[in-house]
Amino acid sequence: MSSERNPAGGIQVLLLKLHESLSDEDTRAAALRCHDIIGDLGQECMLTTTENELALQTSLLFSKDCGLLSFLRKSLASDEFRDTRVETLGFLEKFLDRVSPRVKGWEKTYATDIRDTCMAVYTKEKAAKCRTLVLELLIKVLQTTKASSVVAELRICDIFNRYYGELCQRSKLPDSVLGKIYELLGVLAEVHPSEMVNNSDKLYRAYLGELKEQMTSSTKEPNLFVVAGCLRGITALMVNFTKTMEEDPATSKDIFQYALKAVSPQMSMTRYAVTFAGLRLLARHASQFSSCLMDNYRALFDVMSRLCGHINAEMKKTSYYALEAFLKQVAMLVADNIEEHKSKLKFFMQKFCGIIRTMDSTHKELSIAIRGYGFFAAVRFICFQYSCRNQNLFDNKRMHMRFRRACLLRQSHDA
């Protein structure tokens, strides 16, 4: 008797049980069983070790007759199965993370079915937690099919019209759903720009109008779900439809100001979605904000440095990424005109040197200083020549030597 595990058998049995539960008269008990079955499916799929097994699992899970997409559609007739739909949608999004890089051509067979199911479930299911997960799954499909020939079948313009139309009644939408719609619309512009050429200006107006209402009101607190969604959406939109200070200074400055508010909120927050979104916007598009960065260099450096020491590991990582993009851009702008920006250069040199020569500096602070020196190392020869002509730019020769030594340390670290 063979002891080899049958990768398909377990999944087939579980899927059959899932669909059989839909015809059970005791829908409450059936829903509880379905909840457990989805959990078992998740564990079964985690055991997959080869691409062939994963491809087989994918074909079963997305089977038109007894797959999970079919289950989602059929279960819409009963509210009792809502929690199971939530579990199923969450599982599918995680499963796509495994499938997309390992199963070649998966999207040609399944992406359109996933897209159609998402649209159908969103229309019929009114619960916010389900709708939010539907939108997250749709975003995942769009991101993982970016370079695929299946784009035409996804009917991107139809997706845009459907969800952009939802903004007309945004006051009736749950906050989490509205925030996710804003994010989805931006992702459409990022991954399929050719389909969105005529819609980019609409999106900028929608984002900036919402952010202005949410972040400048003196009578109500901002809705954090909506603000985070707008910031994520506009970050995606700016990838292909730029708003640099040279192209559109007014719009670029507005976007920068909202991002700055997001990373330095005036209210206490227990969740960090808005701060994350603001940091990622600044990190990804620092080059578009040029003079805004220079005008606010002190505030940005202070807030990003502080967030680099945040207790949340992901916040710390994101903050370092944003700080890196900020310092790179500032270093380039300083190098373009040292005479004009000598006060900024002196600010950063004094900050970095102060950290390095202070015995009590933390590992985080030392990392920032060395990292900062490293970015300014790209223009070090210009800086050295300039400092020779203007000795008061640096405190003294020792500071100058520390700067040079830190640059060498950064170079050896990168190597």
Side-chain angles (χ1 to χ4, degrees):
M1 186 174 179
S2 177
S3 60
E4 291 185 4
R5 184 178 69 88
N6 181 350
I11 291 178
Q12 282 181 318
V13 171
L14 290 170
L15 288 171
L16 285 172
K17 288 181 178 179
L18 194 67
H19 279 265
E20 287 171 359
S21 297
L22 292 172
S23 58
D24 195 318
E25 292 183 1
D26 187 349
T27 55
R28 181 168 296 181
L32 290 173
R33 287 199 305 274
C34 288
H35 183 276
D36 293 337
I37 290 171
I38 296 299
D40 292 340
L41 276 172
Q43 290 195 353
E44 186 74 24
C45 291
M46 287 300 293
L47 299 174
T48 308
T49 57
T50 69
E51 275 70 15
N52 287 339
E53 282 187 358
L54 188 58
L56 179 56
Q57 288 183 349
T58 304
S59 68
L60 293 171
L61 291 174
F62 293 111
S63 165
K64 290 185 181 295
D65 296 325
C66 294
L68 292 179
L69 299 180
S70 173
F71 170 78
L72 283 172
R73 286 175 177 268
K74 293 176 182 177
S75 71
L76 288 169
S78 173
D79 289 344
E80 293 287 354
F81 290 96
R82 177 166 289 148
D83 287 343
T84 305
R85 286 194 288 275
V86 169
E87 293 290 329
T88 302
L89 289 164
F91 165 71
L92 285 173
E93 186 191 358
K94 292 182 178 68
F95 188 71
L96 281 189
D97 282 332
R98 300 192 68 204
V99 170
S100 57
R102 296 176 63 188
V103 179
K104 186 176 180 180
W106 71 271
E107 75 284 358
K108 296 176 183 177
T109 307
Y110 309 114
T112 303
D113 286 343
I114 300 173
R115 178 259 191 217
D116 292 345
T117 300
C118 286
M119 301 287 278
V121 174
Y122 182 91
T123 299
K124 295 180 180 180
E125 174 64 82
K126 302 305 179 184
K129 57 185 177 181
C130 273
R131 282 186 150 192
T132 301
L133 286 170
V134 163
L135 294 168
E136 288 181 357
L137 180 57
L138 189 53
I139 287 171
K140 182 73 66 176
V141 170
L142 290 168
Q143 291 172 332
T144 52
T145 58
K146 178 179 180 180
S148 173
S149 60
V150 79
V151 174
E153 297 173 28
L154 292 177
R155 303 190 301 280
I156 299 302
C157 289
D158 289 349
I159 298 176
F160 174 82
N161 292 333
R162 173 70 177 89
Y163 293 106
Y164 184 77
E166 288 283 84
L167 300 184
C168 295
Q169 54 175 358
R170 67 183 189 278
S171 61
K172 298 179 181 179
L173 294 173
D175 301 332
S176 58
V177 175
L178 179 58
K180 196 57 64 175
I181 286 174
Y182 277 125
E183 181 180 353
L184 168 65
L185 293 171
V187 170
L188 286 171
E190 177 185 2
V191 299
H192 299 300
S194 61
E195 304 282 339
M196 298 291 289
V197 171
N198 296 325
N199 297 317
S200 61
D201 288 341
K202 293 180 188 177
L203 287 180
Y204 272 116
R205 287 194 295 270
Y207 288 134
L208 294 174
E210 187 71 72
L211 288 170
K212 181 178 181 179
E213 180 179 331
Q214 294 289 340
M215 302 187 80
T216 63
S217 174
S218 59
T219 58
K220 65 176 183 179
E221 296 288 344
N223 185 297
L224 303 184
F225 282 114
V226 176
V227 171
C230 281
L231 292 172
R232 286 192 288 261
I234 210 166
T235 300
L237 178 60
M238 291 176 72
V239 172
N240 295 305
F241 301 97
T242 58
K243 288 291 182 182
T244 67
M245 287 297 292
E246 293 72 29
E247 294 169 340
D248 189 343
T251 300
S252 185
K253 186 174 181 180
D254 284 343
I255 295 170
F256 173 82
Q257 290 299 329
Y258 295 134
L260 184 58
K261 285 177 181 287
V263 300
S264 50
Q266 301 302 307
M267 56 186 287
S268 177
M269 293 192 298
T270 56
R271 297 186 179 185
Y272 309 125
V274 170
T275 307
F276 274 127
L279 286 169
R280 287 166 180 153
L281 195 163
L282 291 170
R284 196 165 188 183
H285 300 302
S287 62
Q288 296 195 42
F289 297 126
S290 58
S291 61
C292 287
L293 301 181
M294 302 299 272
D295 292 342
N296 297 271
Y297 68 96
R298 290 175 182 267
L300 280 169
F301 180 78
D302 289 344
V303 72
M304 289 181 182
S305 298
R306 185 172 67 253
L307 289 173
C308 284
H310 201 280
I311 191 172
N312 181 287
E314 188 62 27
M315 178 69 77
K316 186 183 298 185
K317 179 181 177 181
T318 306
S319 301
Y320 270 113
Y321 180 38
L323 181 63
E324 176 178 306
F326 163 67
L327 290 174
K328 277 183 178 179
Q329 190 64 25
V330 168
M332 289 174 57
L333 294 170
V334 167
D336 287 342
N337 193 333
I338 293 179
E339 180 64 37
E340 179 183 352
H341 299 303
K342 61 183 179 182
S343 63
K344 299 176 182 66
L345 179 59
K346 184 174 182 179
F347 168 82
F348 286 109
M349 295 303 99
Q350 289 179 335
K351 282 283 187 180
F352 301 150
C353 284
I355 291 171
I356 288 175
R357 67 188 177 195
T358 299
M359 296 301 293
D360 296 332
S361 293
T362 65
H363 175 75
K364 180 265 297 186
E365 291 169 333
L366 287 170
S367 177
I368 291 172
I370 299 300
R371 183 182 296 256
Y373 267 139
F375 293 127
F376 280 92
V379 295
R380 63 188 183 277
F381 294 117
I382 300 175
C383 296
F384 292 157
Q385 292 169 0
Y386 187 87
S387 66
C388 291
R389 298 195 305 271
N390 300 268
Q391 291 297 322
N392 62 351
L393 176 63
F394 296 92
D395 286 342
N396 49 42
K397 185 176 181 180
R398 185 179 300 173
M399 184 182 290
H400 178 96
M401 294 306 296
R402 280 198 178 95
F403 172 60
R404 187 169 187 173
R405 186 164 60 252
C407 292
L408 294 173
L409 282 171
R410 177 66 180 178
Q411 286 178 331
S412 63
H413 177 268
D414 289 343

